[in-house]
Amino acid sequence: MDTTDDRMRGERKVFIKTYGCQMNVYDSQRMGDALERDGYTQTDAIEDADLVLLNTCHIREKAAEKIYSELGRIRLLKNERAAEGRELRVGITGCVAQAEGAEIIERAPVVDLVVGPQTYHRLPDALRRVEKGERVVETDYAVEDKFEHLPKSGRAAIAKRGVTAFLTVQEGCDKFCTFCVVPYTRGAEVSRPFAAIMDEARRLADAGVREVTLLGQNVNAWGGTDASGRAIGLGQLLRELAAVPGLARLRYTTSHPRDMDDDLIDAHRTLRALMPYLHLPVQSGSDRILKAMNRRHKAADYLALLDRIREARPDIALSGDFIVGFPGETDADFEATLDLVRTVRYAAAYTFKYSPRPGTPGASMDGHVEEALKTERLERLQALIREQQVAFQDSFVGRDTEVLIEKPGRHPGQMIGRSPFLLPVVVPASAGAIGDIVSVRVADTRPNSLMAAGAEPAFSAPAIAERFARKIA
């Protein structure tokens, strides 16, 4: 908790709430770094904060309305502060900020500043303007490279975040899928320079990070030049990162099927540090719907690509994204999606009902599907994918797997880590320390995790009953 002495010394605290994707998590961390240089420390308690930032996502339906609802609660806190003669600054950042802009300022008087995802390096300057009485909107696409204008994360800050880390290498999208707002909120595809990525990766490793996940809206569209001036893509970037001392594991997300080139597929064949898990969204199994979505691939193209990937890495686990009820989707179109899912056999997938995003072509298309039918289709798809997910997890029982230990478990004597296939694994504390990669035998499964031998806690009677109920469900 804050103290009066803290405030008299001029110490300020910022509370950052992050919505949405991994890139927003990364962006929130970098905003925290930028504000730390201006004298802010981060707090997990909104009641302690002098500054509240909501880092928003605009992908889901009614995303903006959820933010306004949250602002209603924050307004009460701001009013309490005002009654005490204290100030609370409130800012909206991220994709809702980019999409809504000045409308947020007009609609929500509690908000002091609105900063888009391409301009958050200007956040400290925007706050100084707010302190002078201005309400600030910064949503122009920055000409300068925002990453070059952000302070580097300190070693202590990196270490505090744990032994896994995100590293943004690419932003924006040029694909213009008809359902998606990303090209409008994140802008065109831009790749971070090779040298900057390598520098950040080395600093992460130096602070104890063992696993790095490369991020991008279309991460496999990354391109740059290496230290010798040679043009390279994501496959070669991964090889360079694998040589960084201390980095044992690499992942990347999210990929577009059209950007999955031969060199990247070969990296899955030859690079031990590259984990055997790939998130490769297809969205639909119907060629007619894929064309309406402007995905620019057919279902057969996607399946042929997966054949090549699996030939390179036979044990690779696949996840995907699916939208049901896109305008014009018929029963036959939806059955084609189910057929594709049965063919692929996913380890996991993200599934959504189509919801129109203002300003996207899909919003003005004819043939919008009734909500009840979208719900029924989503439930059928989720049941099929859940069946595949359970089968995937059950396949590990009785087998050994490597686990990167990340944090203490829920019960005494437990630790939690991740398998190469991104599955959470509960291991006995005796297996190793945080940051260790250990081999364990999988003894059992939970709804979304694996249990290593010896990791079973001492269950109370209610817990045993709950576990039995899950088993027979």
Side-chain angles (χ1 to χ4, degrees), residues 323-387:
I323 296 173
V324 302
F326 190 77
E329 184 186 70
T330 64
D331 288 343
D333 293 321
F334 177 65
E335 288 298 331
T337 295
L338 295 180
D339 287 342
L340 184 142
V341 172
R342 294 185 186 103
T343 299
V344 173
R345 298 200 62 81
Y346 288 94
Y350 300 96
T351 57
F352 311 99
K353 292 186 289 186
Y354 172 74
S355 59
R357 305 265 66 81
T360 61
S364 59
M365 287 182 176
D366 295 329
H368 281 259
V369 178
E370 291 289 334
E371 192 66 24
L373 183 54
K374 285 194 287 188
T375 298
E376 187 268 335
R377 288 175 179 172
L378 181 65
E379 290 173 351
R380 289 178 60 195
L381 176 60
Q382 288 177 335
L384 176 58
I385 288 172
R386 179 59 184 164
E387 178 184 308

Side-chain angles (χ1 to χ4, degrees), residues 252 255-257 260 265 268 277-282 297-320 322 339-347 388:
Y252 62 92
S255 302
H256 194 288
M260 200 79 195
I265 293 173
H268 281 280
Y277 184 95
L278 176 62
H279 184 66
L280 193 64
V282 63
H297 60 77
K298 295 183 177 181
D301 300 328
Y302 180 80
L303 293 173
L305 175 60
L306 295 190
D307 286 342
R308 292 167 54 210
I309 295 168
R310 280 176 161 154
E311 187 277 327
R313 186 67 195 255
D315 65 340
I316 198 163
L318 294 165
S319 69
F322 292 90
D339 287 342
L340 184 142
V341 172
R342 294 185 186 103
T343 299
V344 173
R345 298 200 62 81
Y346 288 94
Q388 295 183 352

Side-chain angles (χ1 to χ4, degrees), residues 430-443:
S430 59
I434 292 173
D436 288 345
I437 297 177
V438 300
S439 180
V440 298
R441 177 67 55 89
V442 177

Side-chain angles (χ1 to χ4, degrees), residues 105-349:
I105 290 284
E106 295 171 4
R107 182 173 169 182
V110 67
V111 175
D112 300 293
L113 71 158
V114 177
V115 178
Q118 303 306 319
T119 51
Y120 67 73
H121 58 297
R122 299 176 183 169
L123 183 58
D125 178 66
L127 282 168
R128 283 188 281 274
R129 291 161 58 191
V130 168
E131 289 169 1
K132 295 177 181 177
E134 185 178 350
R135 299 180 76 200
V136 177
V137 178
E138 280 275 8
T139 55
D140 292 337
Y141 286 107
V143 175
E144 70 272 21
D145 180 358
K146 71 180 180 185
F147 294 101
E148 289 299 314
H149 288 77
L150 286 166
K152 293 179 172 61
S153 299
R155 194 174 190 276
I158 295 171
K160 185 178 179 181
R161 293 167 189 158
V163 295
T164 66
F166 296 128
L167 200 172
T168 293
V169 301
Q170 182 272 343
E171 285 195 286
C173 183
D174 295 341
K175 302 300 188 289
F176 287 93
C177 298
T178 56
F179 55 80
C180 186
V181 298
V182 167
Y184 312 101
T185 58
R186 289 278 182 173
E189 290 179 359
V190 176
S191 296
R192 283 186 72 189
F194 170 79
I197 294 168
M198 295 301 296
D199 176 67
E200 185 168 346
R202 292 187 189 101
R203 285 187 286 105
L204 292 171
D206 179 64
V209 169
R210 302 280 280 143
E211 176 181 296
V212 167
T213 300
L214 307 184
L215 300 180
Q217 268 79 40
N218 283 322
V219 67
N220 55 344
W222 182 89
T225 55
D226 65 12
S228 65
R230 176 183 54 147
I232 62 171
L234 186 64
Q236 185 57 34
L237 175 63
L238 287 162
R239 295 184 187 93
E240 299 283 349
L241 289 167
V244 173
L247 291 186
R249 289 181 165 189
L250 298 171
R251 305 183 189 273
Y252 62 92
T253 194
T254 293
S255 302
H256 194 288
R258 287 177 57 83
D259 294 319
M260 200 79 195
D261 62 19
D262 291 340
D263 188 56
L264 182 53
I265 293 173
D266 185 66
H268 281 280
R269 185 196 316 274
T270 61
L271 198 56
R272 188 179 186 279
L274 181 55
M275 293 294 96
Y277 184 95
L278 176 62
H279 184 66
L280 193 64
V282 63
Q283 304 299 356
S284 174
S286 163
D287 288 346
R288 195 176 67 83
I289 296 300
L290 288 170
K291 183 177 181 179
M293 289 177 167
N294 194 35
R295 289 293 288 172
R296 291 183 283 182
H297 60 77
K298 295 183 177 181
D301 300 328
Y302 180 80
L303 293 173
L305 175 60
L306 295 190
D307 286 342
R308 292 167 54 210
I309 295 168
R310 280 176 161 154
E311 187 277 327
R313 186 67 195 255
D315 65 340
I316 198 163
L318 294 165
S319 69
D321 289 350
F322 292 90
I323 296 173
V324 302
F326 190 77
E329 184 186 70
T330 64
D331 288 343
D333 293 321
F334 177 65
E335 288 298 331
T337 295
L338 295 180
D339 287 342
L340 184 142
V341 172
R342 294 185 186 103
T343 299
V344 173
R345 298 200 62 81
Y346 288 94

